[in-house]
Amino acid sequence: MTSPRPRLAVVVKGWPRLSETFIAQELVALEDSGTPFEIWSLRHPTDTRTHPLHDRLQAPVHYLPEYLRDDPVRVLRAAVCAMRLPGFAAAWRAFRADYARDRSPNRARRFGQACVLARELPAETQGLYAHFLHTPSSVARYTAILRGLPWSFSAHAKDIWTTPDWELREKLSASSFGAAFGATCTSIGAEHLRALADTPDRVDLVYHGLDLSRFPDPPDRAPRAPGAPLKLLSVGRLVEKKGFDRLISALALLPDGLDWHWTHIGGGTLKDDLAARAGKAGLSGRISWQGAQDQPAVIAAMRGADLFVLPSRVARDGDRDGLPNVLMEAASQKLPVLSTPVSAIPEFIETGVHGVLTDDAPDSIAREITAFADDPSRGPALAEAAYDRLNAAFRMQPGIDRLARRLNAMMAKSR
């Protein structure tokens, strides 16, 4: 009788999520590469739509108790089981050390979720892989200690820059049951984590890239006709780090004679505040708030727009973008990009070559939008260069091949 194939447990914050197409793309590609896994989600979905990528995934999906009070019987059974595991004493010490520095309900919840996961993982599980280095990696780490398994992570943006250094060091050190390895999607993020790791090779730079087979060929883009309306598009959550408040202020500074319309796609907590700001500036009639959309709708909007604008910035709590996938998606449709030199955005866009990067001051943004409007030939030339760069250096498959090798090597060591 053939024994079950070793299986990976993938820990995510929530599944599925419209704002995390990069995770869906990666998991579908890993599945296609022959890496078997199951998904363990810390939260139930809140989006009402899904992307086609989500529908392609065949992996089983399990949901842990989002709050321990949600399923006390399940949590109690897990706690009793965990206390009988050989790794419980070490896991409890690790949790107590963490809790001494972070006395929060969230920290306690992570350990409770880890107990549930440790009890319910299939016997053939050979390793864990967490998307995001904060909460999901804490659950993966405690579970790995309980079950005596290796674990790994993929780090992105907020999790790198808002997690305390003491916690990052512990998750990057073998002496504190740290990850076997970690992947991150930006050079700036990799440099930061390697400086905190016990060995630099514990952190691997793996760009997400794009699976261009999922996207239509770019449209034929003639220069915008003189005097034609300038169609601006932004895609991103309405949160501080995306800088849309600055963009609205910039739109209010555009010349009176410029005919423009801005479309925003994405959810987020600042919708009411930003809509009120736009109304106060007299811009409501020139703005379409489309809310969260699936990827086909996003791509359709990109194909009909003239300029993609993403004024990313560092939020007050240190949160920031990594390399937003939407910039690569815009490039896939030869849509010119106006953004800011925050975090890893310059790793993809060299200003004046593949797009334009400006500071996030409203007058700077307004000046660059006006320059695009005044020179209709400028955008297509930059977009062509970004499209070539995307194809040459930011395709998905090389990163997936590298990640699959590291995950399979990690699991092989645990057998």
Side-chain angles (χ1 to χ4, degrees):
M1 182 169 158
T2 304
S3 59
R5 291 183 66 190
R7 189 172 291 273
L8 183 69
V10 177
V11 183
V12 297
K13 289 191 301 182
W15 183 269
R17 283 185 159 188
L18 284 175
S19 63
E20 295 175 355
T21 54
F22 57 94
I23 295 178
Q25 173 183 262
E26 178 192 283
L27 294 183
V28 167
L30 281 175
E31 191 170 68
D32 289 345
S33 76
T35 303
F37 60 85
E38 296 184 354
I39 295 174
W40 295 83
S41 178
L42 308 186
R43 300 175 185 170
H44 287 269
T46 56
D47 294 319
T48 57
R49 297 181 177 91
T50 61
H51 293 304
L53 274 171
H54 294 128
D55 301 330
R56 280 182 55 187
L57 197 75
Q58 300 299 308
V61 181
H62 311 277
Y63 292 93
L64 296 171
E66 186 166 344
Y67 296 96
L68 303 185
R69 64 176 181 271
D70 293 345
D71 197 340
V73 174
R74 185 181 178 196
V75 173
L76 179 60
R77 288 173 176 166
V80 171
C81 175
M83 287 188 284
R84 296 171 179 166
L85 293 173
F88 179 77
W92 183 246
R93 283 196 302 272
F95 164 69
R96 288 183 63 188
D98 292 345
Y99 190 72
R101 292 167 288 190
D102 174 26
R103 292 184 176 275
S104 67
N106 187 35
R107 178 68 60 178
R109 182 163 65 248
R110 296 175 197 179
F111 190 76
Q113 289 175 316
C115 290
V116 174
L117 182 54
R119 177 177 182 264
E120 298 181 5
L121 278 179
E124 62 269 23
T125 302
Q126 296 291 334
L128 297 101
Y129 173 55
H131 260 288
F132 292 102
L133 194 43
H134 48 13
T135 303
S137 283
S138 291
V139 174
R141 176 174 171 249
Y142 297 145
T143 304
I145 302 170
L146 287 165
R147 286 286 298 263
L149 295 171
W151 71 280
S152 54
F153 66 82
S154 183
H156 303 290
K158 179 177 182 178
D159 50 327
I160 297 174
W161 303 108
T162 63
T163 301
D165 282 356
W166 66 261
E167 185 169 352
L168 294 177
R169 286 192 180 94
E170 298 212 343
K171 289 175 176 174
L172 291 164
S173 172
S175 64
S176 55
F177 302 98
F181 78 93
T184 190
C185 53
T186 67
S187 178
I188 190 172
E191 290 174 6
H192 182 70
L193 294 178
R194 285 169 181 161
L196 297 170
D198 56 356
T199 57
D201 62 357
R202 196 176 296 280
V203 180
D204 214 347
L205 171 60
V206 180
Y207 285 115
H208 293 141
L210 280 193
D211 176 5
L212 291 175
S213 68
R214 296 191 294 106
F215 295 86
D217 291 336
D220 294 327
R221 288 190 180 270
R224 186 177 124 267
L230 180 67
K231 292 173 285 187
L232 307 170
L233 175 67
S234 298
V235 179
R237 290 179 300 127
L238 294 167
V239 294
E240 183 185 359
K241 70 178 179 180
K242 298 296 184 180
F244 293 128
D245 56 337
R246 306 285 176 87
L247 177 55
I248 290 172
S249 296
L251 295 176
L253 299 175
L254 293 177
D256 293 338
L258 177 60
D259 187 4
W260 60 269
H261 190 91
W262 178 50
T263 297
H264 175 270
I265 294 176
T269 57
L270 298 180
K271 167 65 189 304
D272 291 343
D273 290 344
L274 294 177
R277 178 188 289 261
K280 187 175 181 179
L283 305 178
S284 297
R286 290 186 163 198
I287 297 175
S288 297
W289 303 98
Q290 294 195 354
Q293 300 288 327
D294 60 21
Q295 197 161 58
V298 171
I299 297 304
M302 288 178 170
R303 293 173 70 84
D306 297 313
L307 179 64
F308 189 86
V309 187
L310 185 66
S312 300
R313 72 173 191 267
V314 178
R316 284 167 290 184
D317 66 354
D319 190 13
R320 67 201 74 180
D321 276 327
L323 174 52
N325 263 36
V326 289
L327 297 181
M328 290 183 280
E329 291 170 4
S332 81
Q333 302 306 300
K334 294 187 178 178
L335 176 60
V337 168
L338 170 60
S339 191
T340 52
V342 168
S343 194
I345 292 173
E347 294 177 35
F348 177 56
I349 296 174
E350 181 182 349
T351 190
V353 178
H354 314 103
V356 172
L357 304 182
T358 183
D359 64 68
D360 67 346
D363 59 340
S364 299
I365 298 170
R367 182 171 56 250
E368 295 299 342
I369 292 175
T370 304
F372 272 99
D374 290 343
D375 183 1
S377 66
R378 185 186 188 202
L382 295 171
E384 193 71 38
Y387 181 74
D388 291 343
R389 177 155 175 74
L390 173 66
N391 278 273
F394 286 86
R395 297 183 75 101
M396 174 196 70
Q397 199 56 49
I400 291 298
D401 293 343
R402 185 177 184 87
L403 181 61
R405 286 194 298 270
R406 295 214 66 167
L407 288 170
N408 285 311
M410 176 189 75
M411 290 189 288
K413 290 180 180 179
S414 73
R415 297 171 198 167

